[in-house]
Structures are given as C-alpha cells and as structure tokens.
C-alpha cells in the first residue's frame, strides 16, 4: 500500500507544470525548418525578438517536462537554450551537448505568428 502511495505521489509531481525563466541573449540566431540554409540574427532592436522575449517573460508558468522531437516552425539559439516555436507549441531545448527537448508549452494558433512567419 505504501508503494502505491509513493508511486502516485511521484506521478503527480512529474505531471505538474513548472515555472521557468528564460531570457533571450542580446543577439540570437534563428534557423528555419523549411530552409536549413537560411539563418537570421536578431537583436533587442528587432520586433520579433521583442515579441518572443516578452512572451517568454509573460509565460514563465505552465511548462511541462518533455523529450523527443517536434517538427516544423523556427528554432532560436540563445545561450545554453534552443527555443522552437511552431503553430501550436513552444519547445525549450538544452543545448549543452546535443540539443535535447526539456520543456514544452502549448500556445494558441497565431499567438506567436510574427516569430513563426519570420522567414516568409
């Protein structure tokens, strides 16, 4: 019986969302899933940079642990993190070695459209 309680407690802890605080570096590099050769650098002066940085600041809560790969969107390299923005998700990657998805949050369709459609 005690094992079941411990197991249930562990499941609840793992399934809870976690607050994270990621701030963009002063200059970030953007990669596009539909064109691997295209890259863009963004700074604090760029509107897309401001939009994403404000979104990250305003959405510190509600992140869930994840792993795996997520197709599509754009990928922003900022310090030790990679940030992938798709139509429906933002995925945070650890880039200390090989990029590895660590956190995910769902977004509303069109919520970060300026970021997603940057290369178009």
């Amino acid at each position: 019986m005690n094992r079941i309680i411990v197991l249930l407690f562990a499941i609840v802890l793992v399934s809870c969302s976690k607050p994270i605080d990621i701030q963009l570096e002063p200059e970030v590099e953007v990669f596009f899933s539909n064109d691997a050769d295209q890259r863009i650098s963004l700074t604090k002066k760029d509107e897309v940079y401001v939009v994403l940085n404000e979104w990250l600041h305003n959405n510190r809560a509600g992140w869930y642990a994840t792993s795996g790969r997520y197709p599509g969107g754009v990928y922003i390299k900022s310090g030790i993190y990679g940030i992938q923005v798709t139509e429906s998700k933002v995925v945070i990657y650890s880039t200390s070695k090989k990029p590895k998805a660590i956190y995910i949050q769902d977004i509303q369709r069109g919520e970060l459209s300026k970021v997603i459609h940057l290369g178009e």
Side-chain angles (χ1 to χ4, degrees), residues 1-10:
M1 183 66 165
N2 286 341
R3 289 182 186 174
I4 293 173
I5 292 172
V6 170
L7 181 60
L8 289 174
F9 182 72

Side-chain angles (χ1 to χ4, degrees), residues 7-20 60-66 102-105:
L7 181 60
L8 289 174
F9 182 72
I11 290 171
V12 168
L13 284 178
V14 171
S15 66
C16 293
S17 67
K18 177 179 182 173
I20 62 170
R60 290 184 232 170
W63 293 92
Y64 292 90
T66 192
I102 53 175
Y103 299 111
I104 192 166
Q105 188 171 132

